[in-house]
């Protein structure tokens, strides 16, 4: 279920990016520029603007849904599950055995070659 919503979320994000890039820039950032529709103060809603709102609402809805699903999954486990408390071992001890200290040391003098190799 989470994967399906995630795929829909990614598709909505790409569609939202595409629709915003297709819209005409009017230079109306912070209320500057524009100049069209001086008498009305409100521009007519175009099809691209309506699609932008639809994709944005869908994107926010899938974001909230993914957050709720992730929270439900996180509630079933705890960070403290693997912590040793009062000398007790954690529940899972499937770790492989570590090598002993003798295996980690360099070779002793008795293992060294008798003479140095020739440099031919």
């Amino acid at each position: 279920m989470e994967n399906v919503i995630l795929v829909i979320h990614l598709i909505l994000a790409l569609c939202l990016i595409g629709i915003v890039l297709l819209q005409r820039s009017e230079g109306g950032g912070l209320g500057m520029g524009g100049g069209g529709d001086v008498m009305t103060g409100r521009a007519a809603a175009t099809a691209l603007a309506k699609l932008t709102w639809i994709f944005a609402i869908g994107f926010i809805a899938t974001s909230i849904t993914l957050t709720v699903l992730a929270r439900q999954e996180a509630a079933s486990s705890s960070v403290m599950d693997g912590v040793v408390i009062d000398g007790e071992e954690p529940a899972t001890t499937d770790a492989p055995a570590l090598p002993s200290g003798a295996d980690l040391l360099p070779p002793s003098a008795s293992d060294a070659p008798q003479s140095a190799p020739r440099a031919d």
Side-chain angles (χ1 to χ4, degrees):
M1 169 99 174
E2 188 175 353
N3 289 337
V4 173
I5 295 174
L6 185 61
V7 168
I8 293 170
H9 185 72
L10 293 174
I11 291 171
L12 284 172
L14 292 174
C15 289
L16 189 59
I17 290 169
I19 289 293
V20 168
L21 290 176
L22 285 175
Q23 291 181 10
R24 181 173 56 100
S25 173
E26 296 178 3
L30 298 175
M32 301 176 346
D37 296 331
V38 176
M39 297 299 286
T40 62
R42 181 176 167 206
T46 63
L48 288 178
K50 289 179 182 178
L51 277 176
T52 302
W53 276 104
I54 291 169
F55 289 148
I57 291 169
F59 183 80
I60 292 171
T62 55
S63 296
I64 292 172
T65 305
L66 285 171
T67 303
V68 169
L69 289 176
R71 181 66 187 145
Q72 287 175 351
E73 185 176 315
S76 64
S77 64
S78 174
V79 176
M80 299 298 289
D81 287 343
V83 176
V84 177
I85 299 174
D86 296 331
E88 295 178 7
E89 290 293 323
T92 57
T93 57
D94 297 335
L98 295 174
S100 66
D103 296 339
L104 300 176
L105 297 175
S108 64
S110 63
D111 294 340
Q114 296 297 327
S115 62
R118 293 185 354 206
D120 287 335

